[in-house]
Amino acid sequence: MKYLLGLLFLIAAIGLKAQNLNLPYKIYDVRKQKVISVDDIIADMKNTDVLFFGEEHNDSVGHDLEAKIFEKLNKTYSQQVALSMEMFHTDVQPIMNEFLAGLISEKNFIKEGRAWENYKDYKPLIEYSKANKLQVITANAAARYSNAVTKEGLVMLEKFPATSLSFLPPLPIDTATGRYYQKFNQLLGGHGMGTMKVYQTQNFWDATMAWSVSKFINANKGIKVFHINGRFHSDEKLGTLAKLQQYSPKIKILNISAFSDPAFEKPDWEKFNNLGDYIIITDPKLKRSY
């Protein structure tokens, strides 16, 4: 009997390994230094408040995974989960709430909520939230504010009227120095006043998203937040993640960095160890071209 049980476990393990080989993604736990499953991430969220998913916006596998993770979080933690998104702005929160309540049409929601052009990639998340009566945080700063920062710098925000302040994080907003600034300059390829104002806009986005999540957590104790943003905002636990830790020092955060990689079949995991708690490599053959 003992040998039979051992054989059954071996067969199950082989079957699981074969199944994982056919998935269009691979998940690596940086702390445990091993390949894991989505369910392992869900289990790790038991004592965690926020899970960041740093995506590439044109990664279809990543979008599918976001929906899968969000659904599993909700089912595991009995609807004590909310979604937070870079893709919607703080000033459209009432429109998001109206759509989730079934009060307005999808057409009006997409137009007046200023949904991204690739809304179809995020639609499963919104529809799942609507069907399960889950809250969605419209976390990012509206373009009119970020454009003002890009033109005149962060100081411009202090000139907006009091009626605008509910859409903005606390002022003044600090500009991050050190590693985040170095990464940004590497991305843009140079320094200068123009680059600095763009960098201040980046910091403004980070602060707005972090403040949106922090406010929600303070007002909704015990609800876990699944926050989605472009991975530059949270890789290496910088950007939005670092700002959130400043606003809410006591909360516990885990982060995912997800992206396609040419070495999908044999990833060099050590190369990505600094990016986050979990690294998700997706099959580059399935990445969209837009």
Side-chain angles (χ1 to χ4, degrees):
M1 184 68 176
K2 179 173 68 175
Y3 297 109
L4 178 60
L5 286 173
L7 180 61
L8 289 173
F9 280 125
L10 179 60
I11 292 171
I14 293 171
L16 180 61
K17 185 175 181 181
Q19 184 180 16
N20 286 338
L21 287 174
N22 293 326
L23 293 173
Y25 61 85
K26 294 180 172 73
I27 307 174
Y28 183 75
D29 188 316
V30 171
R31 296 163 301 169
K32 297 175 183 176
Q33 298 186 5
K34 66 176 184 178
V35 175
I36 61 168
S37 68
V38 168
D39 288 337
D40 293 314
I41 298 178
I42 304 304
D44 287 347
M45 283 296 295
K46 182 178 181 180
N47 298 312
T48 303
D49 303 296
V50 182
L51 176 62
F52 274 73
F53 192 108
E55 66 166 34
E56 289 184 335
H57 297 319
N58 60 346
D59 187 351
S60 57
V61 176
H63 292 308
D64 290 342
L65 265 174
E66 289 164 352
K68 182 176 182 178
I69 289 171
F70 187 49
E71 182 175 348
K72 282 181 174 285
L73 280 172
N74 180 53
K75 289 180 177 178
T76 302
Y77 298 104
S78 305
Q79 293 196 310
Q80 294 299 301
V81 177
L83 177 65
S84 175
M85 304 183 74
E86 174 193 0
M87 298 77 200
F88 290 94
H89 302 136
T90 54
D91 63 335
V92 302
Q93 187 69 63
I95 298 167
M96 175 67 76
N97 295 345
E98 289 163 3
F99 181 67
L100 294 176
L103 300 174
I104 62 174
S105 69
E106 182 182 62
K107 182 178 179 179
N108 284 126
F109 167 64
I110 290 172
K111 181 180 179 180
E112 297 179 44
R114 304 194 301 276
W116 283 15
E117 289 185 5
N118 64 326
Y119 172 68
K120 65 182 183 298
D121 291 324
Y122 306 104
K123 181 175 179 176
L125 290 161
I126 301 298
E127 292 296 339
Y128 184 82
S129 299
K130 184 178 181 181
N132 289 274
K133 296 179 169 54
L134 303 178
Q135 298 182 75
V136 179
I137 306 162
T138 58
N140 205 4
R144 62 185 180 276
Y145 302 127
S146 56
N147 288 343
V149 173
T150 303
K151 184 177 179 181
E152 301 291 342
L154 282 167
V155 67
M156 186 65 178
L157 295 174
E158 298 178 20
K159 299 179 181 180
F160 278 87
T163 50
S164 303
L165 297 182
S166 62
F167 304 129
L168 305 175
L171 304 177
I173 296 169
D174 293 333
T175 303
T177 57
R179 173 62 182 156
Y180 197 53
Y181 183 53
Q182 292 170 1
K183 284 180 61 180
F184 188 84
N185 275 308
Q186 289 169 3
L187 183 68
L188 264 65
H191 300 266
M193 281 303 297
T195 301
M196 175 53 74
K197 287 177 181 176
V198 175
Y199 183 59
Q200 288 186 0
T201 305
Q202 178 81 10
N203 281 258
F204 174 49
W205 289 331
D206 291 329
T208 307
M209 288 189 281
W211 180 243
S212 297
V213 174
S214 179
K215 276 197 308 178
F216 180 89
I217 287 177
N218 290 339
N220 298 273
K221 300 296 184 183
I223 296 185
K224 299 180 187 298
V225 174
F226 182 48
H227 176 74
I228 298 172
N229 56 216
R231 70 185 186 95
F232 191 93
H233 287 288
S234 50
D235 273 2
E236 301 184 39
K237 301 193 176 184
L238 301 172
T240 305
L241 195 154
K243 291 283 189 187
L244 176 56
Q245 205 76 75
Q246 290 174 9
Y247 288 136
S248 299
K250 294 183 179 179
I251 68 172
K252 295 180 179 179
I253 305 171
L254 290 171
N255 77 314
I256 295 167
S257 182
F259 49 92
S260 64
D261 188 73
F264 175 73
E265 298 302 329
K266 294 183 179 180
D268 180 3
W269 296 114
E270 289 188 10
K271 186 169 64 173
F272 308 121
N273 271 349
N274 65 322
L275 295 179
D277 297 298
Y278 311 102
I279 309 302
I280 298 180
I281 301 296
T282 63
D283 190 338
K285 296 191 296 293
L286 302 175
K287 187 174 181 179
R288 296 198 178 101
S289 59
Y290 61 78

